[in-house]
């Protein structure tokens, strides 16, 4: 039996076509840009590793990575190439040349659904006998809407590893229909409306085999170039980083109205044992020379004792080998100086704090996150005391939020004075309470499957999408560029590193070039500063950039 796990491009068909059109025009609007870098598909690796352990022939096919490479290598510059030719060249031909029995497709959120459905349709046309299985956040939350479309044979609800194995073992059973009806975690066309269906959450994570990178084609490329290992605004040692994302636990007890993670992973935190994690990290070191660990847990420090045990065991086994980063956030309320000291000992370089809003009202009444902003300030100061880089997530444009509340968030970000602030626009995620509120009140704009991360998709009595876009854009410029921490504190080398990294991703980013020019001038590197000034003046010839110069009172002529 041949099984393929497909990783789709992580954006809608609308977004993919828009990006291709921009490439053909040589156009890059950094205000609308997203990071197209691939990420290690950890979920697929867990599933593939379990299937492999049970003697099934499985491979992973990452179409997102293929699209990312085509953006970079000029594939779309040809007038004859478009999204259809991309799918033919990089996907359809793959299936035509192989006999594939089962395809599993990951669908993270509703903003990816049109792309996933397009891929499923292509498979149906090329290989009608192939069984197609969908899983992930969107299918878990919307399976009753998805199944009647007839594109998928089965949908796995919740955490997919054990259910995928069960389904693969039974998929050709003569009574598979009856078995599916009795299984509460899998649906087909005849059972999707049964009330007994619910998400599966794996109680004992150590029962899962370690996710092995050997099952991932071009694994070394992910290790060196991934969306997390190349994040902007993280000041790390200038050494060759070999990065790997790991999950030491699953689940989150928080009840944030904008989040739907609990619909897949539940609110109960379940953790791998420390022994399991040490063995896995040892494998990553021995086999792949990993020296940068990206701990992606929603709630790594849900237990201070376990977090300390993890640090102590890692230090005993590996000393100061690693850079440690938390790109997905740490629980601020359970972070103290003792834990910071131990994390610093094992190589902690940066922490991301999921603050979301700088408004106390939004925290308590809209998000129900109830994050104490004074505690956030104290914990940030503790991290700074121990020379740990700090980043933060903010979101503007929540349902029920007002313009003044959004401005409170920008003011809080300016006051917090950290390395980098990711200020995003709220995207309604299917399965979240806030999505239901927006839908029931008629706030959603158009088809939610075509919503795009980073763009406002709701219209409320309090604001328009254009208003939210302007607040987010202006806040980003003020916080991360004009009032950049490194530039203000004359840490010009750190600023140079930050903005060079940003320019690599967005070559025409006007304010990144301005900040890099400022950093180079600050170091007395006049030759490189003059080269940057030439680029800046060329970019400022565009009307949109010229207007930005006036708006933010930047004078290049006096340079």
């Amino acid at each position: 039996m041949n099984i393929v796990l497909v990783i789709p491009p992580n954006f809608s068909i609308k977004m993919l076509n828009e990006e291709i059109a921009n490439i053909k025009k040589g156009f890059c609007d950094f205000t609308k840009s997203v990071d197209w870098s691939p990420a290690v598909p950890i979920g697929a690796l867990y599933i593939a590793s379990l299937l492999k352990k049970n003697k099934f022939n499985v491979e992973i096919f990452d179409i997102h990575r293929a699209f990312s490479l085509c953006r970079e290598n000029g594939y779309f510059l040809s007038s004859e190439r478009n999204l259809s030719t991309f799918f033919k060249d990089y996907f359809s031909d793959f299936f035509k040349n192989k006999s594939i029995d089962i395809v599993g497709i990951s669908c993270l959120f509703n903003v990816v659904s049109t792309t996933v459905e397009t891929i499923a349709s292509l498979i149906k046309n090329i290989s009608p006998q192939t069984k197609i299985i969908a899983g992930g956040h969107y299918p878990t939350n919307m399976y009753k809407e998805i199944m009647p479309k007839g594109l998928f044979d089965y949908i796995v609800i919740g955490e997919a590893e054990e259910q995928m194995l069960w389904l693969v073992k039974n998929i050709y059973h003569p009574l598979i229909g009856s078995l599916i009806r009795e299984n509460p975690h899998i649906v087909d066309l005849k059972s999707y409306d049964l009330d007994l269906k619910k998400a599966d959450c794996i109680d004992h994570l150590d029962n899962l085999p370690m996710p092995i990178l050997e099952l991932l084609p071009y694994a070394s490329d992910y290790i060196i170039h991934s969306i997390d290992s190349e994040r902007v605004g993280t000041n790390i040692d200038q050494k060759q980083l070999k990065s790997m994302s790991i999950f030491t636990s699953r689940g989150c007890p928080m009840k944030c109205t904008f989040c739907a993670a609990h619909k897949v992973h539940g609110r109960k935190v379940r953790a791998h044992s420390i022994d399991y994690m040490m063995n896995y990290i040892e494998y990553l070191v021995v086999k792949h020379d990993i020296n940068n660990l990206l701990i992606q847990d929603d709630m790594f420090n849900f237990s201070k004792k376990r977090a300390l045990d993890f640090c102590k065991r890692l230090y005993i086994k590996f000393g100061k080998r690693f850079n440690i980063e938390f790109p997905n956030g740490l629980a601020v309320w359970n972070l103290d100086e003792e834990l910071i000291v131990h994390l610093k000992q094992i190589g902690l370089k940066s922490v991301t704090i999921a603050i979301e809003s700088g408004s106390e009202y939004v925290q308590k009444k809209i998000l129900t996150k109830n994050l104490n902003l004074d505690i956030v300030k104290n914990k940030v100061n503790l991290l700074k005391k121990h020379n740990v880089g700090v980043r933060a997530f903010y979101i503007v444009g929540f349902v029920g939020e007002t313009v003044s509340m959004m401005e409170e968030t920008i003011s809080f970000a300016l006051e917090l004075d950290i390395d980098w602030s990711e200020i995003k626009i709220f995207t309604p995620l299917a399965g979240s309470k806030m999505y239901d509120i927006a839908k029931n009140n008629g706030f959603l704009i158009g088809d939610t499957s075509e919503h795009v991360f980073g763009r406002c998709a709701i219209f409320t009595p309090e604001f328009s999408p254009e208003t939210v876009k302007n607040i987010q854009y202006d806040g980003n410029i003020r916080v991360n560029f004009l009032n950049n921490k490194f530039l203000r504190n004359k840490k010009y080398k750190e600023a140079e590193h930050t903005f060079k990294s940003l320019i690599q991703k967005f070559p025409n980013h006007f304010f990144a070039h301005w900040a890099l020019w400022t950093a180079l001038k600050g170091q007395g590197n006049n030759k490189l500063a003059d080269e940057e000034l030439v680029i800046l003046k060329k970019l400022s010839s565009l009307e949109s950039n010229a207007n930005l110069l006036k708006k933010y009172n930047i004078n290049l002529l006096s340079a």
Side-chain angles (χ1 to χ4, degrees), residues 38-42 45 213 216 218-231 234 236-237 239-246 280 284-285 288-296 321-325 327:
V40 176
I42 293 290
L45 280 177
L213 281 167
L216 185 62
Y218 312 104
S220 60
D221 190 48
Y222 291 88
I223 288 170
I224 297 174
H225 304 292
S226 72
I227 193 169
D228 285 313
S229 61
E230 297 179 335
R231 291 176 304 126
T234 300
I236 51 181
D237 297 336
K239 66 179 181 180
Q240 177 64 66
L241 290 181
K242 296 184 178 180
S243 306
M244 181 63 188
S245 291
I246 61 173
Y280 183 51
L284 293 174
V285 170
H288 299 283
D289 196 29
I290 297 299
N291 59 15
N292 190 37
L293 291 178
L294 306 162
I295 301 177
Q296 301 278 12
R321 174 184 178 84
F322 297 109
N323 286 336
I324 304 290
E325 300 186 62

Side-chain angles (χ1 to χ4, degrees), residues 159-171:
E159 295 176 349
E161 292 93 341
E162 293 179 348
Q163 297 305 318
M164 187 72 173
L165 176 62
W166 180 91
L167 184 53
V168 167
K169 286 181 175 179
N170 291 283
I171 202 163

Side-chain angles (χ1 to χ4, degrees), residues 26 73 86 131 133 178 240 279 286 357 375 479 495 502 510 535:
N73 66 19
F86 166 77
K131 302 296 184 182
I133 305 168
S178 297
Q240 177 64 66
N279 289 336
V286 172
S357 175
I375 290 178
V479 174
L502 184 59
F510 179 78
I535 297 172

Side-chain angles (χ1 to χ4, degrees), residues 459-478:
F459 199 118
T460 79
E462 288 78 23
F463 57 78
S464 68
E466 189 68 19
T467 299
V468 178
K469 172 187 170 184
N470 290 337
I471 290 173
Q472 183 268 342
Y473 174 82
D474 181 69
N476 179 46
I477 299 304
R478 287 162 56 200

Side-chain angles (χ1 to χ4, degrees), residues 188-203:
D188 62 8
L189 197 55
K190 295 182 178 180
S191 67
Y192 69 89
D193 57 349
L194 297 179
D195 291 337
L196 63 87
K197 300 299 181 178
K198 61 181 181 179
D200 187 24
C201 289
I202 299 170
D203 288 327

Side-chain angles (χ1 to χ4, degrees), residues 171-365:
I171 202 163
Y172 294 118
H173 192 286
L175 299 177
I176 183 61
S178 297
L179 295 176
I180 291 294
R181 288 182 67 86
E182 296 171 1
N183 187 321
H185 311 302
I186 301 174
V187 299
D188 62 8
L189 197 55
K190 295 182 178 180
S191 67
Y192 69 89
D193 57 349
L194 297 179
D195 291 337
L196 63 87
K197 300 299 181 178
K198 61 181 181 179
D200 187 24
C201 289
I202 299 170
D203 288 327
H204 304 291
L205 296 181
D206 281 8
N207 290 342
L208 298 175
M210 296 186 298
I212 55 174
L213 281 167
E214 285 76 10
L215 294 175
L216 185 62
Y218 312 104
S220 60
D221 190 48
Y222 291 88
I223 288 170
I224 297 174
H225 304 292
S226 72
I227 193 169
D228 285 313
S229 61
E230 297 179 335
R231 291 176 304 126
V232 172
T234 300
N235 182 38
I236 51 181
D237 297 336
Q238 296 301 297
K239 66 179 181 180
Q240 177 64 66
L241 290 181
K242 296 184 178 180
S243 306
M244 181 63 188
S245 291
I246 61 173
F247 285 86
T248 80
S249 66
R250 299 181 185 181
C252 178
M254 305 297 285
K255 296 183 179 180
C256 303
T257 56
F258 61 91
C259 182
H262 64 283
K263 292 291 187 71
V264 174
H265 300 296
R267 298 200 189 276
K268 177 184 176 182
V269 180
R270 297 147 292 126
H272 282 295
S273 67
I274 303 299
D275 286 341
Y276 180 102
M277 293 311 306
M278 292 304 111
N279 289 336
Y280 183 51
I281 294 169
E282 182 175 28
Y283 150 77
L284 293 174
V285 170
V286 172
K287 293 291 187 180
H288 299 283
D289 196 29
I290 297 299
N291 59 15
N292 190 37
L293 291 178
L294 306 162
I295 301 177
Q296 301 278 12
D297 302 28
D298 284 328
M299 196 65 61
F300 170 79
N301 56 328
F302 71 96
S303 163
K304 179 184 172 182
K305 180 182 181 303
R306 178 182 179 273
L308 289 172
D309 288 345
F310 178 90
C311 294
K312 292 171 184 177
R313 290 280 300 278
L314 193 71
Y315 185 73
I316 290 170
K317 197 172 185 67
F318 298 103
K320 295 182 177 295
R321 174 184 178 84
F322 297 109
N323 286 336
I324 304 290
E325 300 186 62
F326 289 87
N328 203 32
L330 271 176
V332 174
W333 47 267
N334 212 21
L335 184 66
D336 61 16
E337 189 158 22
E338 181 185 14
L339 181 54
I340 292 171
V341 168
H342 280 82
L343 288 168
K344 185 70 178 178
Q345 185 182 45
I346 61 172
L348 179 63
K349 297 296 180 183
S350 71
V351 167
T352 302
I353 301 174
I355 298 172
E356 321 303 0
S357 175
S359 163
E360 293 281 4
Y361 180 87
V362 173
Q363 286 285 345
K364 294 177 181 179
K365 301 296 185 180

